Amino acid sequence: THLCHYTQPGFQRYICRIIWIVPFYCTASWLALKYRDYSLWFETPRDCYEAWVIYNFMSLCMAYVGGPGAVVIKSEGKLIKPSWLLCTCCMKPIP
């Protein structure tokens, strides 16, 4: 449905790339199991696509919050206090 209703390309291109990992990963894994002698040829593009999807997921998260500049602007001037929850318990407060 993302391709039929392509109204927000800034978000939907990342979503489509993430959704395509399922058939790509499934097909590549099945081929690697079926043809074990050539499994390296199937696993390498599969792993590269997986890394690319992780990058696209992070890009989608950044697009949702308004981009990297928005993250910097929103966090500017805030003090990060040491806490166990954020795993900063052994650090000095970060300005």
Side-chain angles (χ1 to χ4, degrees), residues 26-91:
C26 177
T27 305
S29 296
W30 181 78
L31 288 170
L33 285 172
K34 185 157 176 72
Y35 305 106
R36 290 183 185 252
D37 294 338
Y38 303 104
S39 65
L40 182 65
W41 294 100
F42 300 119
E43 292 173 353
T44 303
R46 180 194 69 190
D47 293 343
C48 291
Y49 189 75
E50 181 182 5
W52 190 62
V53 166
I54 293 170
Y55 165 76
N56 279 289
F57 176 73
M58 294 304 298
S59 298
L60 176 64
C61 292
M62 290 301 259
Y64 275 141
V65 297
V71 174
V72 171
I73 290 171
K74 288 178 186 174
S75 65
E76 219 170 60
K78 293 187 179 178
L79 182 70
I80 299 175
K81 297 178 183 174
S83 94
W84 286 96
L85 183 64
L86 298 175
C87 299
T88 57
C89 59
C90 299
M91 301 173 70

